[in-house]
């Protein structure tokens, strides 16, 4: 594939804002997506481990983690759409080719995801009180975790796009065209394993936040709190070591054209960020129980994932530029201020107020252990504003569309 052929596959309409914006948003939303995926997988694994245990602490944790996992699946899916939008805007020649080459799997991904999500709910419906009754219907939860590993398909698509030199061979092996899209053509298990293994330290960080939340709600069971803390630390240290080892294996198995990445500052930066997060709870000690520190570990973990995401993007950008002559940042710009402003206003104002309201209500309701929770006047005002903003947004969206159409 010559650079000219790759450029010819671009959308001739150009992009509505500077491509660097899409690149940065791609990295940020990928980090959020992968964080949600990791919490989902970690919480599901802890549910499986705990639900069948005879120990009350494990069963209590399993009940909490099942609730977490259910929500994390939907967050992972929603936050998966965002990097999907950005990658297909600036890397469209690569992303679409990779998808078409494995089209059967792209559609299968959605079916498997629906199956995994439903299996988790079936397990949930069968187990309303894990602490009291223990678990029933194990197979549903095992099936759910297995199906939710469909991220492997995205991993394969993401990697296939980096090999334009192999596309013709994959499309027409030995000269005979195979348009079925039934094969996944490339993967790197250490790379996939690295992102999946990071679930353990990320879930450890999540458990610190869970523990801090319980303390805030006046949790009386100090033994349980200590137990959660010890488990969180074990997950962070042991999981961190496994992830770093898999990361090293990924670096050692990089194909020749990407070998530069293994010794680049990006890798050292990502490693330093991950190690700093693992060390943070040890440094903070008893401070973890005060203020926002207990939540801060997860916040620091999110920052480390942004660094890892940036390194992963550097690998893609430099490989496509250096080896294949494709610069994602020289996309033709067809500046569209309305859609750019609408995007950020939707994200910051509508999203901020609406999500802010929902999260505040959920948070405060969970912190109140007795009686019925009633939101205060400020929270109620926030709720009313989120409805008004959604109505305004809908009117603006359809209003501008109609105006452009009728003009
Ligand atoms: C719920 C199960 C899922 C899992 C376990 C999962 C896992 C992963 C993993 C491991 C990666 C990194 C791949 C790599 O760089 O090698 C990834 C990236 C990504 N995932 Fe997911 N994912 C899931 C669901 C989704 C969904 C539902 C979407 C879209 C709606 C999605 C969209 C993406 C995108 C766009 C990327 C980045 C692609 C790129 O930058 O080229 N994922 N996911």
């Amino acid at each position: 594939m010559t650079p000219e052929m790759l450029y010819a596959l671009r959308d001739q309409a150009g992009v509505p804002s500077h491509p660097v914006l899409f690149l940065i948003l791609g990295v940020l939303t990928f980090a959020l997506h992968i964080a949600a995926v990791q919490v989902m997988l970690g919480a599901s694994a802890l549910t499986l481990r705990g639900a069948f245990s005879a120990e009350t602490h494990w069963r209590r944790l399993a009940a909490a983690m099942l609730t977490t996992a259910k929500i994390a699946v939907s967050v992972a899916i929603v936050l998966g759409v965002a990097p999907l939008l950005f990658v297909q805007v600036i890397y469209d020649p690569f992303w679409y080719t990779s998808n078409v080459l494995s089209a059967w799997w792209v559609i299968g991904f959605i079916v498997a995801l629906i199956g995994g999500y439903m299996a988790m709910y079936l397990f949930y419906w069968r187990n309303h009180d894990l602490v009291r009754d223990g678990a029933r219907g194990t197979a549903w939860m095992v099936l759910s975790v297995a199906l939710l590993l469909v991220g492997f398909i995205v991993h394969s698509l993401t990697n296939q796009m980096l090999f334009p030199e192999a596309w013709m061979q994959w499309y027409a092996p030995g000269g005979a065209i195979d348009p079925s899209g039934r094969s996944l053509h490339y993967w790197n298990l250490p790379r996939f394993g690295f992102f999946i293994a990071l679930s353990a330290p990320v879930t450890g960080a999540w458990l610190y936040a869970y523990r801090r939340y319980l303390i805030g709600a006046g949790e009386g069971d100090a033994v349980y709190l200590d137990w959660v803390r010890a488990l969180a630390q074990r997950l962070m240290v042991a999981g961190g070591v496994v992830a770093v080892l898999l990361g090293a294996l990924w670096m050692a198995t990089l194909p020749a054209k990407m070998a530069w990445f293994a010794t680049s500052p990006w890798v050292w930066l990502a490693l330093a960020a991950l190690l700093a997060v693992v060390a943070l709870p040890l440094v903070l000690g008893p401070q973890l129980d005060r203020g926002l520190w207990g939540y801060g570990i997860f916040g620091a973990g999110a920052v480390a994932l942004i660094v890892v995401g940036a390194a992963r993007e550097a690998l893609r950008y430099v490989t496509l530029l250096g080896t294949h002559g494709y610069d994602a940042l020289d996309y033709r710009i067809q500046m569209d201020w309305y859609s750019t402003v609408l995007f950020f206003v939707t994200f910051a104002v509508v999203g901020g107020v609406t999500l802010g309201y929902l999260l505040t209500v959920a948070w405060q309701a969970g912190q109140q252990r007795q009686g019925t929770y009633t939101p205060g006047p400020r929270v109620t005002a926030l709720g009313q504003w989120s409805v008004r903003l959604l109505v305004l947004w809908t009117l603006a969206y359809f209003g501008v569309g109609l105006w452009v159409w009728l003009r």
Side-chain angles (χ1 to χ4, degrees), residues 26 30 33-34 37-38 40-41 72-73 76-88 91 95 109-110 113 145 147-159 161 188 191-196 250 312-313 316:
F30 166 75
H33 165 63
I34 209 71
V37 164
Q38 286 157 348
M40 168 195 91
L41 291 176
V73 184
I77 294 172
V78 172
L79 290 176
V81 177
L84 188 61
L85 298 180
F86 300 122
V87 73
Q88 72 190 5
Y91 292 113
W95 180 254
F109 173 73
I110 297 163
L113 203 61
V145 176
L147 287 174
L148 290 175
L149 282 172
V150 284
F152 184 76
I153 299 173
V154 187
H155 159 76
S156 184
L157 298 174
T158 300
N159 281 278
M161 64 187 274
N188 179 310
R191 172 172 170 160
F192 181 65
F194 167 73
F195 283 114
I196 299 301
W250 169 21
R312 174 181 171 279
E313 192 56 57
R316 168 159 60 193

Side-chain angles (χ1 to χ4, degrees), residues 61-134:
L61 184 71
M65 288 302 110
L66 180 56
T67 310
T68 305
K70 270 190 311 145
I71 296 166
V73 184
S74 53
V75 177
I77 294 172
V78 172
L79 290 176
V81 177
L84 188 61
L85 298 180
F86 300 122
V87 73
Q88 72 190 5
V89 169
I90 53 171
Y91 292 113
D92 50 344
F94 305 87
W95 180 254
Y96 286 121
T97 310
S98 178
N99 274 246
V100 169
L101 282 168
S102 303
W104 194 87
W105 289 91
V106 177
I107 306 296
F109 173 73
I110 297 163
V111 178
L113 203 61
I114 294 173
Y117 204 0
M118 285 177 68
M120 189 180 287
Y121 264 94
L122 282 170
F123 180 78
Y124 171 67
W125 279 325
R126 295 208 59 190
N127 294 286
H128 276 300
D129 196 338
L130 278 175
V131 183
R132 197 192 57 203
D133 308 331

Side-chain angles (χ1 to χ4, degrees), residues 35-383:
V37 164
Q38 286 157 348
V39 169
M40 168 195 91
L41 291 176
S44 303
L46 288 178
T47 304
L48 270 177
R49 165 68 182 85
F52 308 99
S53 171
E55 290 172 46
T56 331
H57 286 166
W58 266 116
R59 296 243 284 257
R60 179 173 173 192
L61 184 71
M65 288 302 110
L66 180 56
T67 310
T68 305
K70 270 190 311 145
I71 296 166
V73 184
S74 53
V75 177
I77 294 172
V78 172
L79 290 176
V81 177
L84 188 61
L85 298 180
F86 300 122
V87 73
Q88 72 190 5
V89 169
I90 53 171
Y91 292 113
D92 50 344
F94 305 87
W95 180 254
Y96 286 121
T97 310
S98 178
N99 274 246
V100 169
L101 282 168
S102 303
W104 194 87
W105 289 91
V106 177
I107 306 296
F109 173 73
I110 297 163
V111 178
L113 203 61
I114 294 173
Y117 204 0
M118 285 177 68
M120 189 180 287
Y121 264 94
L122 282 170
F123 180 78
Y124 171 67
W125 279 325
R126 295 208 59 190
N127 294 286
H128 276 300
D129 196 338
L130 278 175
V131 183
R132 197 192 57 203
D133 308 331
R136 282 175 297 225
T138 333
W140 290 119
M141 197 61 200
V142 175
L143 181 72
S144 172
V145 176
L147 287 174
L148 290 175
L149 282 172
V150 284
F152 184 76
I153 299 173
V154 187
H155 159 76
S156 184
L157 298 174
T158 300
N159 281 278
Q160 284 175 187
M161 64 187 274
L162 302 177
F163 293 90
E165 68 275 30
W167 290 347
M168 273 312 289
Q169 175 55 26
W170 291 339
Y171 177 60
I177 292 176
D178 171 14
S180 70
R182 277 182 189 269
S183 304
L184 287 175
H185 301 278
Y186 185 93
W187 54 84
N188 179 310
L189 285 180
R191 172 172 170 160
F192 181 65
F194 167 73
F195 283 114
I196 299 301
L198 276 181
S199 301
V202 169
T203 308
W206 183 261
L207 287 186
Y208 273 114
Y210 163 66
R211 183 177 168 277
R212 177 67 190 83
Y213 185 80
L214 290 181
I215 294 173
E219 172 65 46
D221 188 345
V223 183
Y224 181 64
L225 291 176
D226 286 346
W227 180 82
V228 172
R229 183 181 181 147
L231 177 65
Q233 191 58 49
R234 274 205 310 280
L235 281 174
M236 285 194 80
V237 175
V241 169
V242 174
V244 167
L245 287 177
L246 283 166
L249 202 58
W250 169 21
M251 293 304 108
T253 53
L254 279 170
K257 69 174 182 178
M258 298 177 192
W260 61 271
F261 182 65
T263 49
S264 71
W266 289 107
V267 171
W268 297 113
L269 205 64
L271 181 66
L274 291 175
L275 292 180
V277 177
V278 172
L280 197 56
L282 302 172
V283 175
L284 286 173
Q287 235 175 317
L288 277 172
D289 299 353
R290 294 194 288 272
L292 295 175
W293 291 108
Y295 303 112
I297 313 280
F298 191 74
V303 173
L305 286 177
I306 293 175
V307 177
V308 171
R312 174 181 171 279
E313 192 56 57
L315 172 62
R316 168 159 60 193
Y317 176 76
V318 175
T319 301
L320 296 184
L321 177 63
T323 313
H324 301 286
Y326 178 91
D327 186 353
L329 295 182
D330 68 6
Y331 224 113
R332 190 164 75 85
I333 303 169
Q334 188 73 38
M335 195 61 211
D336 178 350
W337 281 107
Y338 175 71
S339 75
T340 304
V341 170
L342 183 71
F343 172 81
F344 282 107
V345 168
T346 305
F347 181 72
V349 182
V350 185
V353 172
T354 312
L355 267 182
Y357 171 68
L358 293 175
L359 289 175
T360 310
V361 167
W363 183 278
Q364 291 186 347
Q367 292 273 294
Q368 180 169 325
R369 292 225 137 181
Q370 269 155 16
T372 309
Y373 164 70
T374 315
R378 285 170 68 180
V379 180
T380 305
L382 201 65

